Amino acid sequence: SDPENPNLTNELLGQLMLMSQQKGTESESFLENPTFSTGDYTQITQQALESTNMERDLPEIRDDEIKLLPPIDDKNLEPEEVKEKQKEEIEKYLASLAYVVALNSPFSITSPDDLQENVASESNELLNAVLKSDQEMIDAYAQRARNSIEQIKEIEVPYILEDLHKSALSLAIFTAEMKDDVIVSAEDPMKSLASLVTLQKVAESANKLQSEMMNVLQEYDIEFVEFQ
């Protein structure tokens, strides 16, 4: 691995070289015919994941790229009233996000259940596109993502959601821009492995953000968003 440039591709190559050296010292036959098992690749991938912090590769979102609302700190309001006003801001924010998702979605959305089911289906479709090297479909997903990003930048963001919003926007931009680097090809197995590992890291980051948002919804007793 390269401590000066610890991205996934470098980490995977570094781990592969380390394993090759280890196998070479243990077996002369490996030097004559180097082969790796599925378990070897799994170990290489896991070690690369543990050595890489994807957040270093995410773009930084500047303050002027979002429309941040001022904090609700009216001294004339009781704490319960402050929280109620924060809840109203969050609900408006979520409704705006839902509108953007519906506007750019390849499927119709009439309820949160529709969204959850169809997002799972579309995620599988995208993964299949990556595995089949379907660049046309990948480009179509990336274009919808870019459209959504520009529209999301126009949404007013509650002050208490600043960090969460920036993290989600950063991940969305990173994902849209990696469209040319997620092709799986038998001719370049290392790049293919790096692509799949990157997608796994993106999924993990997305799940983390979703969990943080769910905590916010629970804290403010928000159960659903109306889809128009």
Side-chain angles (χ1 to χ4, degrees):
S1 61
D2 181 359
E4 297 300 322
N5 190 20
N7 58 47
L8 281 170
T9 302
N10 284 338
E11 285 299 324
L12 286 167
L13 288 171
Q15 296 297 338
L16 183 64
M17 291 176 62
L18 287 174
M19 180 170 286
S20 298
Q21 292 173 356
Q22 181 180 356
K23 285 180 173 289
T25 58
E26 295 174 353
S27 171
E28 292 185 2
S29 61
F30 176 82
L31 296 175
E32 299 172 359
N33 182 29
T35 57
F36 298 90
S37 66
T38 301
D40 291 334
Y41 283 115
T42 299
Q43 180 180 337
I44 289 169
T45 301
Q46 187 60 41
Q47 290 173 337
L49 282 169
E50 292 173 355
S51 302
T52 307
N53 180 5
M54 196 184 74
E55 293 181 359
R56 284 192 290 258
D57 298 326
L58 296 179
E60 183 178 354
I61 304 301
R62 303 186 311 273
D63 291 343
D64 62 0
E65 290 184 271
I66 66 172
K67 294 188 174 181
L68 186 65
L69 294 170
I72 299 173
D73 54 5
D74 192 329
K75 295 180 180 179
N76 295 322
L77 295 177
E78 296 293 330
E80 312 86 66
E81 295 175 308
V82 170
K83 188 169 184 178
E84 184 60 31
K85 286 187 174 295
Q86 289 174 335
K87 178 180 178 179
E88 292 174 1
E89 286 189 349
I90 295 171
E91 288 177 331
K92 183 179 179 181
Y93 167 80
L94 292 174
S96 298
L97 278 180
Y99 176 76
V100 170
V101 171
L103 192 64
N104 295 282
S105 172
F107 47 80
S108 61
I109 301 173
T110 57
S111 73
D113 289 338
D114 288 341
L115 177 62
Q116 185 174 6
E117 292 174 6
N118 284 296
V119 165
S121 175
E122 285 298 308
S123 297
N124 289 332
E125 289 293 327
L126 178 56
L127 179 58
N128 286 333
V130 171
L131 294 175
K132 295 177 182 178
S133 300
D134 188 341
Q135 189 66 55
E136 183 177 352
M137 181 173 287
I138 293 173
D139 288 345
Y141 277 104
Q143 185 57 53
R144 283 199 294 268
R146 284 193 291 268
N147 292 341
S148 298
I149 288 166
E150 293 308 309
Q151 292 159 1
I152 288 173
K153 287 181 179 180
E154 299 302 314
I155 294 175
E156 292 184 332
V157 182
Y159 186 82
I160 56 176
L161 294 183
E162 177 183 6
D163 291 341
L164 183 57
H165 180 81
K166 284 184 175 180
S167 295
L169 188 58
S170 177
L171 183 63
I173 293 172
F174 175 83
T175 304
E177 291 180 348
M178 63 180 277
K179 70 179 184 66
D180 295 326
D181 299 317
V182 292
I183 295 298
V184 175
S185 170
E187 298 177 357
D188 193 345
M190 186 53 61
K191 182 178 180 180
S192 299
L193 185 58
S195 296
L196 294 175
V197 171
T198 300
L199 288 174
Q200 182 178 344
K201 294 287 283 186
V202 167
E204 290 175 356
S205 297
N207 287 336
K208 180 182 177 182
L209 290 173
Q210 183 181 30
S211 177
E212 292 177 8
M213 178 56 77
M214 290 302 298
N215 290 337
V216 172
L217 299 185
Q218 291 175 4
E219 179 182 353
Y220 286 87
D221 195 24
I222 300 173
E223 295 183 0
F224 65 96
V225 177
E226 287 288 350
F227 287 77
Q228 304 299 328

